[in-house]
Amino acid sequence: MNFKKLKKHILNRIVHTEINKFPFYNMYVENIFPDEFYLSLKYKILEYKYNKELEDRNWDNPNFINKKLSLKNYDDDEISLFRKVFDDSEIKNSIMSKFYHNFSIGEIVFNHDLQLVFTGKDRFQKIHTDIPAQFVSVVFYIPEDELTDQEKIDNATILYDKELNPHKLSKFSDNTVSFFAPHFYSYHGFNTTIENRNTLLFFYAQKDLIKRFYDNIHNENGEQNPDKFKDVIQWKISKWRLLEYGLDDGEFLTKIIEEKSNCKIDSLNGRINQESRD
């Protein structure tokens, strides 16, 4: 498939998919790729899964190990084209404009370290938000098996409201993707009821913000500063205004103070460690 055809299809799907505003701004896009490209990408990913040496991943929950494969050094046709299209300025702008007000795409980069994550049955990811350096988190769903409608609902990303009530608003279906912008209450995670939960992840990020997050991460006693996570989120969304937080200056300031105070994150990795689901 050529780049222009793929870009046109993806751009059309993003532009014509509306943002979901509950429990926080998110976007679930169906048929994100033309069928031809999606099938080629899916077969390539399954080939990697069963023929490459996978790495351990305990980021989702320290109680068990999932498997992952970084695609940083892979340049197969499907992966190269994937990188090129999501690094395209028009594609990036179409995504950012769903979440941010007057965002300059020159300020963010596409994280080329694409990552495949393979999760087995009966596991769950601890509720968290993503680290502040990430402007938009992107999760592609790549089912391996035929699934029932209920299995599709149960194995997609779960979004949580401010009281940590779960909401299953997307489906773990072929050729679908979830987008959301991390902030104070973008709580999310997943459960698995199937044996093969395959996802492709990447993030749009800002390099200077990565440095800001990790600089001075310890307090004067050498301990990790638990407020660092919230402080960097506040700095970030004060500079790059989220549509979700309103455009009026007074409304924005009131909301950001309130949400920072109510944020349940209590660790530098964005997790809620004091929740009941340890």
Side-chain angles (χ1 to χ4, degrees):
M1 171 165 290
N2 65 55
F3 171 78
K4 289 184 177 180
K5 181 178 179 181
L6 180 60
K7 175 183 171 179
K8 181 179 179 181
H9 180 97
I10 293 173
L11 194 60
N12 180 68
R13 296 301 303 132
I14 292 171
V15 169
H16 291 95
T17 300
E18 294 187 0
I19 281 286
N20 301 314
K21 295 185 178 181
F22 177 83
F24 52 85
Y25 276 33
N26 65 92
M27 185 169 64
Y28 174 68
V29 184
E30 299 178 293
N31 301 313
I32 184 65
F33 300 119
D35 289 341
E36 174 189 354
F37 180 78
Y38 172 72
L39 289 175
S40 181
L41 179 66
K42 177 178 179 176
Y43 293 148
K44 179 59 64 176
I45 287 170
L46 293 180
E47 177 185 328
Y48 293 156
K49 179 179 180 180
Y50 292 106
N51 293 284
K52 302 296 183 181
E53 184 176 352
L54 305 180
E55 304 169 70
D56 289 341
R57 171 180 164 122
N58 64 354
W59 306 350
D60 299 317
N61 192 310
N63 297 326
F64 52 75
I65 302 295
N66 291 327
K67 293 295 183 179
K68 67 177 181 177
L69 178 67
S70 170
L71 300 180
K72 184 176 182 179
N73 297 317
Y74 287 77
D75 59 359
D76 297 288
D77 291 345
E78 297 85 355
I79 303 304
S80 294
L81 190 52
F82 182 101
R83 285 195 184 97
K84 183 178 179 180
V85 75
F86 282 102
D87 210 17
D88 177 83
S89 60
E90 197 170 2
I91 294 290
K92 288 193 291 187
N93 186 64
S94 68
I95 295 170
M96 292 299 151
S97 66
K98 296 285 186 175
F99 299 96
Y100 292 91
H101 177 64
N102 292 336
F103 195 95
S104 171
I105 59 171
E107 295 177 304
I108 63 101
V109 295
F110 169 60
N111 184 338
H112 287 260
D113 187 13
L114 301 175
Q115 189 173 119
L116 297 171
V117 178
F118 307 111
T119 308
K121 188 177 180 180
D122 297 328
R123 298 184 176 182
F124 68 87
Q125 184 182 47
K126 291 178 71 68
I127 300 174
H128 67 292
T129 69
D130 292 325
I131 65 171
Q134 297 166 0
F135 281 79
V136 173
S137 301
V138 189
V139 185
F140 295 85
Y141 303 130
I142 309 169
E144 187 169 337
D145 311 301
E146 290 292 328
L147 303 177
T148 66
D149 287 342
Q150 191 60 50
E151 286 174 328
K152 292 176 182 178
I153 293 171
D154 288 340
N155 290 276
T157 304
I158 301 171
L159 308 182
Y160 296 86
D161 61 29
K162 294 177 184 179
E163 287 71 45
L164 303 184
N165 299 308
H167 301 276
K168 299 179 179 182
L169 305 178
S170 57
K171 294 182 179 180
F172 186 75
S173 299
D174 274 312
N175 205 5
T176 61
V177 58
S178 288
F179 298 89
F180 48 88
H183 54 75
F184 286 125
Y185 55 89
S186 55
Y187 308 122
H188 61 281
F190 65 79
N191 294 333
T192 59
T193 66
I194 58 175
E195 196 58 55
N196 296 297
R197 185 185 192 270
N198 307 324
T199 56
L200 173 60
L201 313 178
F202 80 84
F203 308 95
Y204 287 109
Q206 211 271 352
K207 291 181 178 179
D208 290 342
L209 199 55
I210 296 174
K211 184 177 186 299
R212 176 180 285 269
F213 179 58
Y214 287 107
D215 278 354
N216 304 315
I217 208 166
H218 296 90
N219 60 26
E220 59 185 12
N221 297 321
E223 301 169 341
Q224 287 192 344
N225 177 5
D227 294 325
K228 182 72 173 182
F229 194 94
K230 299 176 188 179
D231 291 344
V232 179
I233 291 179
Q234 179 178 2
W235 182 87
K236 166 190 169 182
I237 62 180
S238 295
K239 182 174 181 179
W240 293 281
R241 298 278 288 267
L242 285 164
L243 294 172
E244 182 168 355
Y245 280 68
L247 300 180
D248 176 79
D249 288 342
E251 176 188 355
F252 174 82
L253 181 59
T254 298
K255 184 161 186 175
I256 200 172
I257 293 173
E258 177 184 355
E259 298 305 340
K260 183 179 182 181
S261 175
N262 293 332
C263 181
K264 293 180 171 62
I265 299 302
D266 56 7
S267 66
L268 287 170
N269 60 12
R271 290 176 179 165
I272 302 174
N273 287 326
Q274 294 178 357
E275 54 167 307
S276 61
R277 298 181 57 200
D278 287 336

